[in-house]
Amino acid sequence: MTHFTRRDVFKISAGGVAVASGMVAMPSILRAATYPSRPINVIVPFATGGYNDRLSRAFMPYLEQELGQPLVIVNKPGAGTQLGNSYALNQPADGYSILCTSAAPYIPLTVLLQNAPYKVEDFSMINLPSRDYTLAATSSGGPVQTFAEVLEKLKKDPSSLSIGVQPASADYANMVLAFQAAGIDASKLRIVTYDGGGPARNATAGAQVDVGFVGGEGFLPLKSKVRPLAIFAAEKVDWYPDAPLIGATLKTDFVEGSQRGWAVSTKLKNEQPEIFKILVAAVEKASKNPKAIETLKLQELATTWYGPDASNKAYLDNAAKMAKYVDLLK
Amino acid sequence: MIDVSAFNDALGIMFTSVGSWGWIVPGLIVGLVFSAIPGISITMAMAIVLPMSLYMDFFSAIVFLTSVYTGAGFGGSVPAILMNIPGSPSSFATTFDGYAMSQKGEHNEALGYALFASTLCGIAGYVLLLLVIEPLADIVLRIGPVEMFAVAIWGMMLLGSLGSTYISRGLLAAALGILLGTVGMNTAGFTRGTLGLPVLLDGIAPIPAMIGLLAASQLLSLASRDYIIEAEGSREVSLRKILKGCWGTLKYPGVLLRGSIIGIIIGAVPGVGSSIGNLIAYAETKRTAKDSATFGKGNPKGVIAAESAVASGEGGSMATMLALGIPGGGATAILIAAFMMHNIVPGPSFIETQKPMVYAIILNNIVQAIVLLAVGIGFIYVASNIMKVRTRYVLPAILVIATLGTFAVTGEAAGPITLFVFALLGYALNRYQYPVSAVVVGILLGRMLETEFLRSYQLSGGNPLYVLERPGAMAIFAVMFISLAMTAWGKRKQNRAEAAEALAMRQIQEETRAAHTTPSKG
């Protein structure tokens, strides 16, 4: 049996306090030196099974390999990513919570249309490998053959074709911009709204609507059931090469579609630059791992490395364009 | 039709990967247990096990997940029958007659009926799927908003068979349910009734709301008793009686067939899910039955109708998923994710290039349904022992489990809070004799009614004659009205006969009274 004198107890507790206060006051360099020392949460603001969930799970083993710590995927779906985004910002900025999300257009949209309690600049991108574009398509058996035909018909009679689209989305903005550029009376269009890309795609493939404006990537499994009319991208899209570019038919401004990938809070980037660097390096290495590229490609998931600067720029450009055209979305 | 050489290859896959069969029983048990817990739906049960399946090879993972799906399709009916609390929304209609049966001491038989209906129609659904997977998928894609609106209206007709003392209160309760069902952002992007709370943007979570409404009234009424069933002699758990119920199911082939057809078609339609098929199958069976007055009072046909639609809906939902790569409901969305995580993208090209694999998956589901029969009997046998436990132990346990269930999946307090608020609402509704089940039907169907009506309006540009361009919708409405008219005609004939009988009775009474009274007055 050991006997503690009062002095010993004082010494021990004083030491404890000193250690504890040392930890609190530990400079960020020191914290970064031990980072990561425990599992890291990956917050996915979508339900299990969506693109971001699949991306995070497929990429997980390669990122774990670089970071040397296990990753835990936390699905926080709801309110167009607003719940998950708020949750992510409420976590301590210590590098143990990172986001895998469709940063654009969801973050700008929640800010512009839902008065979300954060700013677009509160999030900093690490890498956004997946870039989606709005695709105007029709059912493969449908009578319409080209986008020019669509514009011509609608110019004559705006109610001659029905249009399927998700409201308050990049696709919606692109649809309105294209019709404005073509001089079509938008007030008489028969627009059918769908609460998600999936239902809008089904309606297009099933010829329930004549033309659908939806993110193109989701059409890939249904490729044989639809005819692509125009894709809202500046250059040929490598995952849908047979989709004609919008620029070929019509001169119009457009918004890029979903940009999905890895992000953190800007607070972390500013307060813990060392940790941010470690995360960036790990994502870069994992993205360039040939095995990761091969595995993710088989699952139709993107691994392209753009880096934090290019990704952030793409994200902020998208946000600025969304803000510019916000009146079209309401 | 069926491709014989692919079918033979499928048998080959089945027997060369015998190791994956070992996942059937664990999968079924996981599905049964999770879905029997009030507050955890089939989708959630599958979401929980999805990450686990990543570490298996492809066929094993699919066997495991579909087994969970098969088990979960039945598990929800166990608390529905024993305690009047549906384990998941798809077993809501099972409570109507299932609980009434168990109150009569026929819980063993009721569970037997439910299990056999579930297994038989599960098999029927998959056999049909094996034959018509491709044509079915094409038809499903053509079902548009007008057709869906007709289906939703059909579902609402269930309200007529719920039976409440006051018609006005029933309608008011249904209206309240629909109103609650439309909270959140609608399909056109307008936000209603969220009180500024971001969690309500996606609407009121139907599962905690339903459990709150139903469980509150039910648990409070149980609290006054010592045991769930008062008569001591009825509390036994009898394998013989369970088997008797199983066997008894075969006496109602018509009910099984109707339930299966409704289940398959509704299950196959993308985005509807399994929680509506059971309502329609129940309502249709009740309306067309000769003994419709005994529905809701423990008629086995009610249990069979509801369960058959749930089980066969699974096959329909799988058809859409395999053939088109489109999820019919939440559970198949998880399955698609599992496919993709194993580098396989379901859809038209998958079914063309990998037909043997598609057949093998379907065949394996048939095997699962057969295994479910054995595992299910064991599960029922164990679960029924809850009847022998005093309510003072059962009720707090159920409350805690239900609360945890609504919390666990998202890890947000929103679930338990919804549960609590709706429990209070359920208590108030019960206190003033408003039918709680009408509110639940409204919540389950409200969103679909609004969404499909709005889309029909948008598509037609406001022209009601548009419905004439949709033969499918006209057919659904026609079947609905003919069936209604025939019921009304039958009721009228019955009422007339009863009235005539009553008149005759009164005349006889009056004559005898006259014979008695006249002399005494004089």
Side-chain angles (χ1 to χ4, degrees):
Chain A
M1 188 80 194
T2 339
H3 284 275
F4 284 116
T5 64
R6 221 187 265 181
R7 189 175 287 263
D8 288 334
V9 172
F10 174 73
K11 270 189 204 157
I12 292 166
S13 53
V17 169
V19 168
S21 57
M23 275 173 76
V24 171
M26 191 163 62
S28 64
I29 299 283
L30 266 180
R31 238 197 270 180
T34 56
Y35 176 85
S37 57
R38 56 187 167 89
I40 297 168
N41 285 337
V42 179
I43 300 159
V44 178
F46 294 93
T48 329
Y51 185 98
N52 290 286
D53 182 63
R54 290 194 297 115
L55 175 66
S56 60
R57 286 181 203 278
F59 198 61
M60 189 164 86
Y62 307 101
L63 194 54
E64 276 175 348
Q65 201 180 314
E66 302 303 332
L67 287 167
Q69 284 288 340
L71 299 179
V72 182
I73 296 187
V74 185
N75 295 91
K76 289 271 172 202
T81 74
Q82 187 182 328
L83 299 183
N85 295 339
S86 304
Y87 176 84
L89 289 179
N90 283 334
Q91 304 307 305
D94 55 6
Y96 291 100
S97 310
I98 58 176
L99 270 160
C100 181
T101 181
S102 297
Y106 283 96
I107 297 176
L109 282 176
T110 51
V111 172
L112 291 168
L113 299 176
Q114 296 177 11
N115 296 321
Y118 46 73
K119 295 192 296 287
V120 170
E121 294 79 21
D122 287 345
F123 299 89
S124 286
M125 304 301 123
I126 297 176
N127 188 34
L128 298 174
S130 157
R131 305 287 169 93
D132 199 358
Y133 303 93
T134 301
L135 179 71
T138 183
S139 167
S140 54
V144 186
Q145 301 292 333
T146 62
F147 196 63
E149 212 178 302
V150 171
L151 296 177
E152 201 181 307
K153 276 195 174 171
L154 289 177
K155 247 189 250 175
K156 262 190 218 146
D157 175 10
S159 64
S160 59
L161 296 171
S162 58
I163 292 148
V165 67
Q166 180 184 0
S169 66
D171 308 322
Y172 191 86
N174 285 332
M175 179 201 76
V176 177
L177 287 170
F179 289 161
Q180 271 182 356
I184 291 165
D185 179 6
S187 64
K188 288 193 188 119
L189 289 169
R190 281 192 291 145
I191 294 173
V192 187
T193 49
Y194 291 88
D195 34 5
R201 273 180 211 109
N202 299 348
T204 309
Q208 289 158 38
V209 292
D210 296 315
V211 186
F213 287 79
V214 206
E217 214 167 14
F219 268 124
L220 291 178
L222 279 171
K223 223 171 167 180
S224 63
K225 304 255 173 208
V226 295
R227 177 181 303 135
L229 298 174
I231 194 156
F232 289 71
E235 290 160 39
K236 208 162 236 345
V237 178
D238 51 0
W239 43 259
Y240 214 141
D242 40 345
L245 296 178
I246 179 74
T249 326
L250 185 71
K251 228 175 115 64
T252 171
D253 194 13
F254 60 85
V255 184
E256 279 190 16
S258 293
Q259 300 170 353
R260 315 181 184 101
W262 305 87
V264 289
S265 67
T266 305
K267 201 171 163 215
L268 173 86
K269 186 182 171 187
N270 292 341
E271 291 177 8
Q272 306 279 350
E274 296 300 319
I275 291 182
F276 182 72
K277 254 188 214 162
I278 295 172
L279 281 169
V280 169
V283 174
E284 179 173 5
K285 264 192 165 172
S287 301
K288 290 178 176 168
N289 180 342
K291 250 187 119 184
I293 295 171
E294 193 195 327
T295 315
L296 269 74
K297 198 172 177 197
L298 284 171
Q299 303 186 27
E300 292 182 357
L301 297 168
T303 45
T304 321
W305 173 256
Y306 295 99
D309 296 334
S311 298
N312 233 6
K313 188 176 173 297
Y315 161 72
L316 291 174
D317 284 354
N318 179 291
K321 237 180 204 177
M322 284 286 176
K324 185 176 162 196
Y325 293 125
V326 67
D327 291 333
L328 299 181
L329 297 172
K330 280 178 183 164
Chain B
M1 271 298 140
I2 200 159
D3 179 340
V4 179
S5 78
F7 186 79
N8 284 335
D9 291 346
L11 288 178
I13 297 178
M14 288 273 285
F15 289 107
T16 47
S17 52
V18 172
S20 56
W21 290 47
W23 289 107
I24 294 181
V25 173
L28 288 174
I29 292 173
V30 168
L32 284 168
V33 171
F34 272 114
S35 68
I37 296 173
I40 296 189
S41 69
I42 300 176
T43 314
M44 295 174 186
M46 293 186 62
I48 292 167
V49 296
L50 172 68
M52 251 163 81
S53 69
L54 282 182
Y55 302 99
M56 306 172 186
D57 63 59
F58 173 68
F59 198 64
S60 301
I62 297 306
V63 167
F64 180 61
L65 283 170
T66 50
S67 300
V68 173
Y69 191 18
T70 308
F74 169 68
S77 62
V78 175
I81 289 170
L82 295 178
M83 289 178 298
N84 204 15
I85 301 171
S88 58
S90 49
S91 43
F92 178 43
T94 312
T95 58
F96 302 155
D97 278 293
Y99 183 64
M101 282 184 80
S102 81
Q103 284 303 292
K104 289 197 287 186
E106 294 171 5
H107 52 277
N108 291 304
E109 288 90 337
L111 287 166
Y113 282 122
L115 177 64
F116 221 67
S118 190
T119 332
L120 280 180
C121 294
I123 296 173
Y126 280 109
V127 169
L128 195 70
L129 179 55
L130 205 53
L131 299 175
V132 296
I133 183 159
E134 280 160 289
L136 181 69
D138 271 342
I139 295 169
V140 158
L141 214 47
R142 304 267 156 193
I143 297 178
V146 188
E147 290 80 24
M148 293 308 298
F149 179 65
V151 169
I153 292 281
W154 203 336
M156 287 307 285
M157 301 223 298
L158 171 72
L159 289 172
S161 33
L162 288 178
S164 88
T165 343
Y166 309 96
I167 292 176
S168 56
R169 290 184 194 187
L171 289 175
L172 212 58
L176 174 70
I178 294 174
L179 207 61
L180 290 172
T182 55
V183 165
M185 192 181 277
N186 78 350
T187 183
F190 295 100
T191 311
R192 294 87 34 100
T194 58
L195 313 169
L197 299 172
V199 279
L200 286 180
L201 277 175
D202 298 325
I204 294 168
I207 292 162
M210 182 187 80
I211 301 289
L213 281 171
L214 296 173
S217 50
Q218 182 54 23
L219 294 180
L220 285 172
S221 76
L222 283 181
S224 59
R225 304 185 201 165
D226 246 1
Y227 291 91
I228 295 175
I229 298 179
E230 292 191 80
E232 203 182 335
S234 313
R235 291 201 285 262
E236 59 166 349
V237 178
S238 151
L239 190 60
R240 199 178 54 80
K241 285 188 178 171
I242 295 174
L243 291 175
K244 201 180 127 204
C246 288
W247 187 245
T249 313
L250 296 175
K251 280 188 254 169
Y252 307 103
V255 179
L256 288 170
L257 191 68
R258 188 185 306 113
S260 301
I261 293 171
I262 292 174
I264 289 171
I265 295 173
I266 297 198
V269 177
V272 180
S274 53
S275 52
I276 290 167
N278 67 340
L279 300 180
I280 294 181
Y282 181 87
E284 274 308 290
T285 306
K286 179 180 171 180
R287 222 150 31 71
T288 49
K290 286 200 187 76
D291 50 353
S292 62
T294 61
F295 274 69
K297 293 178 186 129
N299 191 326
K301 280 193 254 176
V303 178
I304 296 171
E307 280 302 310
S308 58
V310 178
S312 55
E314 203 186 294
S317 201
M318 285 281 276
T320 318
M321 185 205 90
L322 290 169
L324 296 172
I326 294 172
T332 34
I334 307 273
L335 271 177
I336 290 185
F339 270 74
M340 296 188 112
M341 285 167 180
H342 286 94
N343 308 339
I344 289 173
V345 182
S349 64
F350 173 61
I351 214 166
E352 267 161 38
T353 54
Q354 306 230 33
K355 209 165 221 174
M357 184 53 96
V358 173
Y359 282 165
I361 292 168
I362 297 173
L363 284 174
N364 197 282
N365 273 286
I366 295 174
V367 174
Q368 286 165 17
I370 297 165
V371 178
L372 173 67
L373 203 55
V375 176
I377 287 175
F379 183 74
I380 292 174
Y381 194 79
V382 175
S384 301
N385 280 298
I386 202 169
M387 292 300 199
K388 295 184 182 161
V389 184
R390 280 173 174 269
T391 51
R392 69 173 71 146
Y393 303 119
V394 175
L395 298 189
I398 291 178
L399 262 183
V400 170
I401 291 173
T403 314
L404 277 180
T406 55
F407 176 75
V409 180
T410 53
E412 297 280 346
I417 292 172
T418 312
L419 181 83
F420 181 71
V421 170
F422 277 83
L424 292 181
L425 182 65
Y427 176 75
L429 288 168
N430 240 23
R431 169 79 179 69
Y432 297 102
Q433 295 189 15
Y434 285 85
V436 172
S437 38
V439 182
V440 175
V441 173
I443 291 179
L444 292 178
L445 292 175
R447 181 150 285 244
M448 178 174 163
L449 266 175
E450 190 218 352
T451 305
E452 302 300 345
F453 183 70
L454 182 61
R455 283 187 198 145
S456 308
Y457 173 78
Q458 293 170 328
L459 197 56
S460 61
N463 180 4
L465 292 179
Y466 176 75
V467 76
L468 298 177
E469 291 170 34
R470 305 292 306 193
M474 287 207 296
I476 297 174
F477 276 122
V479 170
M480 196 162 80
F481 284 123
I482 290 169
S483 143
L484 265 182
M486 276 168 65
T487 328
W489 181 252
K491 277 267 162 64
R492 198 167 145 227
K493 247 165 82 182
Q494 199 183 335
N495 285 349
R496 267 197 196 160
E498 274 171 20
E501 209 173 295
L503 194 70
M505 285 290 281
R506 208 176 307 141
Q507 273 173 350
I508 294 167
Q509 271 175 359
E510 268 168 23
E511 273 166 25
T512 48
R513 201 183 301 147
H516 274 290
T517 44
T518 344
S520 66
K521 256 201 173 170

